[in-house]
């Protein structure tokens, strides 16, 4: 019994030392109406939710207009994306992925990609970026 108590105590202490953010986090609620969209050019817009897109990790919505086809590019930061609305074809390493609302993808290690908005609805993404957000065109 002492052994189990010691293990439980040790694990508890370990969790407290490296406590995950949810253990001490406050709350953040942002309604769709509260999003502040920033024009990025070419009909693309971003609405930051947390962090600073220019200087470090962040979470934000990104909006692509109907008909947009991005040139081949990559981002220095690994990023994790959920398509919230619209439809796109994402091309990575010559393979096409047709994606719709609720679909998820991760682009890491500066992988080049192309995104094409399909249909007659803009595409809206939710993105978590692990570092500053940039766009680097492929040569």
């Amino acid at each position: 019994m002492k052994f189990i108590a010691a293990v439980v105590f040790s694990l508890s202490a370990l969790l407290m030392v490296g406590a995950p953010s949810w253990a001490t986090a406050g709350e953040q609620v942002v309604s769709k109406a509260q999003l502040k969209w920033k024009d990025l050019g070419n009909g693309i817009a971003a609405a930051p939710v947390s962090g600073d897109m220019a200087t470090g990790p962040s979470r934000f919505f990104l909006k692509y207009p109907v008909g947009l086809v991005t040139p081949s590019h990559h981002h220095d930061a690994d990023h994790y994306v959920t398509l919230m609305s619209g439809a796109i074809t994402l091309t990575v390493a010559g393979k096409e992925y047709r994606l719709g609302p609720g679909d998820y993808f991760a682009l890491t290690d500066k992988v080049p990609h192309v995104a094409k908005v399909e249909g007659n609805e803009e595409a809206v993404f939710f993105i978590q970026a692990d570092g500053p957000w940039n766009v680097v065109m492929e040569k």
Side-chain angles (χ1 to χ4, degrees):
M1 189 66 160
K2 281 186 175 183
F3 175 74
I4 292 174
V7 169
V8 169
F9 178 76
S10 296
L11 285 174
S12 298
L14 248 168
L15 285 173
M16 291 308 289
V17 169
S21 61
W22 53 262
T24 58
E27 63 182 61
Q28 180 184 17
V29 177
V30 180
S31 71
K32 185 176 178 179
Q34 292 173 306
L35 294 175
K36 293 181 176 140
W37 291 95
K38 296 178 183 178
D39 180 23
L40 301 180
N42 297 321
I44 300 169
V49 175
S50 68
D52 185 334
M53 292 173 62
T55 63
S58 61
R59 291 174 184 85
F60 56 95
F61 289 92
L62 188 67
K63 190 185 309 184
Y64 282 177
V66 172
L68 178 77
V69 180
T70 68
S72 183
H73 67 284
H74 72 267
H75 308 277
D76 288 333
D78 292 347
H79 56 291
Y80 309 90
V81 184
T82 300
L83 183 58
M84 304 302 294
S85 62
I88 66 163
T89 298
L90 178 69
T91 305
V92 181
K95 185 171 181 181
E96 290 187 350
Y97 302 90
R98 298 200 187 285
L99 305 172
D103 288 335
Y104 166 87
F105 59 94
L107 296 171
T108 61
D109 301 321
K110 301 179 184 180
V111 66
H113 55 282
V114 172
K116 177 182 179 186
V117 178
E118 304 287 358
N120 56 8
E121 181 182 358
E122 65 191 8
V124 178
F125 309 88
F126 182 75
I127 300 174
Q128 176 177 316
D130 284 352
W133 185 254
N134 65 354
V135 178
V136 180
M137 297 301 166
E138 296 299 310
K139 296 175 179 159

